[in-house]
Amino acid sequence: MTLARIFLLLLLTLACFPAFAADRAATERQFSAWLSSTAWPAARATGVSESTFRRETAGLSLDWNLPGIVAPGERPPEVNYQAEFKSPADYFAEKYMAPVVRSGQGLMREWSKTLASVETAYGVPASIIVAIWGRESGFGRVALPKDAVRTLATKAFMSDRPALFLDELVAALKILQDGHIQRAEMKSSWAGALGQPQFMPGKYLGFAVDFDGDGKRDIWRSVPDTLASIGYYLKAHGWQPGARWGVEVELPASVSCTLEGPEKPRPIADWERDGVRPVSGGRLSEKKLGQTGYLMQPAGRHGPAFIVSWNFYVLKLYNESDLYASFVGHAADRIAGRESGPFVTRWQAPSGFSRGAVRQMQLRMESRGVDVGGADGLVGFKTRIAIGEWQRANGLPVTCFPDVQTVKRAG
Ligand SMILES: [Ca+2]
């Protein structure tokens, strides 16, 4: 950089900074007014007392370091659709999976009595609970960087989902009022998720459990409360005791990948009759999946195929992603010693196109009335099925996954 350019940059910085600071000061004043005019009535309506509200919001300022915040009058940041579409393979890399498995096995032993009680109470296997604990917060070892109230208040005042975060802010104040945790210890992620199970405050009010009997639902410091809260959440969302989440299978070419998803349940016996077999050997009906199975293929024909039970979709109610639920299920299998390594089938998903190109394809499909589960440039089961049906109608190999040609032409 030349001296002249450095000088110019310096001038620009000096010229901009006072205005920037003045904008921020004005926004902070708007925020203070908003706390009184909007946040307080919402809090009062759900039973938060004036003394709690005043104590917890006195002197509260905005957290300008949060990602994705939108100051009043500004446009929301755009999703980066130029970014390369990412293969599911990265998500299951051993560098993420192995630490969860290794530490999970040790913690299964250390907390075996508590986990046995939780399993008796809620019917959810210890290995599943431990895998979620590891995936969410590294077994509580990941330091939570944020003050939950400030984070939620900032997002309620300036984010693209203000109503949702106002509800979460009010729920957080309720948790403090009920005395479950001190403000200084009520830490959250950057997104406002609380404690070791990473519950949003509303989820906490509905599903956090006091399992060590001290009268506090302490998902920040108590391991028994953390483990039981995860277990109770899954039970309350329909976990079926005794059924495994799923098994990796060999899918014969004669079985269409468009049979995927939670809307296409089939008896396990039907999958078996069609030649679907566990990659580990044996028969599908011996794998404790229950009576009904669903096909699930995160990378379509380019990666592992699974027959999953309803419990897979219960895991998705913890975190809405096929990859998350598969990660947790597979980590649990390895923690419990049912599996010893990565999936047998390799991920070979195509690359070389952007998330925006996927979105354009989805928009074309939507304009024909096809349900792709939202045109967001991400590939869930509805988009995979839509691609598979388009490929079949056009006489192409049916893979149920995007590739360079498909994203250009399909629609
Ligand atoms: Ca407790």
Side-chain angles (χ1 to χ4, degrees), residues 336-353:
R338 271 189 300 273
E339 303 280 351
S340 57
F343 297 127
V344 170
T345 310
R346 290 178 57 194
W347 301 97
Q348 294 179 309
S351 59
F353 50 93

Side-chain angles (χ1 to χ4, degrees), residues 77-99:
E78 305 256 326
V79 175
N80 180 12
Y81 285 117
Q82 312 306 314
E84 173 81 358
F85 182 81
K86 272 167 72 178
S87 157
D90 301 346
Y91 198 92
F92 298 94
E94 277 299 293
K95 66 179 173 188
Y96 304 127
M97 183 66 77

Side-chain angles (χ1 to χ4, degrees), residues 209-218 222 225:
V209 171
D210 170 27
F211 208 69
D212 59 14
D214 70 348
K216 296 185 164 83
R217 300 193 261 162
D218 185 351
S222 165
D225 289 8

Side-chain angles (χ1 to χ4, degrees), residues 370-390:
V370 176
D371 180 6
V372 294
D376 54 6
L378 303 174
V379 177
F381 74 91
K382 287 185 177 173
T383 295
R384 294 196 290 270
I385 292 169
I387 290 171
E389 281 168 356
W390 179 85

Side-chain angles (χ1 to χ4, degrees), residues 106-367:
L107 289 160
M108 278 271 282
R109 287 190 289 274
E110 188 177 332
W111 292 96
S112 59
K113 276 190 186 162
T114 304
L115 285 162
S117 305
V118 170
E119 190 164 343
T120 303
Y122 305 121
V124 181
S127 56
I128 289 283
I129 292 173
V130 168
I132 290 177
W133 186 25
R135 185 70 182 75
E136 292 295 335
S137 64
F139 311 100
R141 293 168 188 159
V142 173
L144 296 171
K146 292 292 176 187
D147 171 75
V149 170
R150 187 177 183 216
T151 302
L152 295 163
T154 299
K155 289 175 86 76
F157 180 66
M158 48 181 195
S159 77
D160 53 352
R161 287 173 297 170
L164 180 146
F165 282 104
L166 180 56
D167 287 347
E168 297 293 359
L169 170 64
V170 169
L173 295 171
K174 195 86 175 46
I175 295 167
L176 286 165
Q177 175 163 294
D178 292 346
H180 293 291
I181 188 81
Q182 295 292 309
R183 170 66 177 276
E185 285 154 349
M186 194 187 194
K187 296 294 188 183
S188 76
S189 70
W190 293 73
L194 306 176
Q196 300 188 35
Q198 288 286 281
F199 279 4
M200 291 304 286
K203 194 163 153 180
Y204 173 100
L205 289 177
F207 305 102
V209 171
D210 170 27
F211 208 69
D212 59 14
D214 70 348
K216 296 185 164 83
R217 300 193 261 162
D218 185 351
I219 58 169
W220 291 266
R221 294 168 304 182
S222 165
V223 171
D225 289 8
T226 296
L227 301 176
S229 297
I230 295 169
Y232 178 57
Y233 181 87
L234 295 177
K235 174 190 160 66
H237 286 80
W239 185 270
Q240 297 173 353
R244 289 178 64 180
W245 71 278
V247 291
E248 188 185 348
V249 295
E250 285 169 32
L251 195 70
S254 54
V255 178
S256 173
C257 54
T258 59
L259 289 173
E260 196 192 339
E263 292 157 9
K264 296 176 180 171
R266 292 179 79 205
I268 292 291
D270 287 11
W271 294 114
E272 202 168 73
R273 198 188 54 229
D274 288 350
V276 179
R277 292 193 171 75
V279 293
S280 58
R283 294 162 57 104
L284 205 50
S285 54
E286 296 162 350
K287 298 294 178 183
K288 299 198 171 109
L289 291 163
Q291 297 297 311
T292 306
Y294 308 78
L295 176 62
M296 201 279 298
Q297 284 191 289
R301 284 275 178 188
H302 300 289
F306 304 88
I307 296 295
V308 299
S309 73
W310 184 251
N311 286 340
F312 176 82
Y313 298 104
V314 177
L315 291 175
K316 282 186 72 173
L317 295 173
Y318 202 101
N319 189 329
E320 176 60 42
S321 154
D322 285 341
L323 301 184
Y324 176 87
S326 312
F327 184 100
V328 162
H330 185 64
D333 283 343
R334 286 172 62 174
I335 289 168
R338 271 189 300 273
E339 303 280 351
S340 57
F343 297 127
V344 170
T345 310
R346 290 178 57 194
W347 301 97
Q348 294 179 309
S351 59
F353 50 93
S354 68
R355 189 175 163 187
V358 173
R359 181 165 172 268
Q360 288 305 319
M361 174 195 69
Q362 289 171 321
L363 289 169
R364 293 193 302 273
M365 288 172 158
E366 280 187 340
S367 71

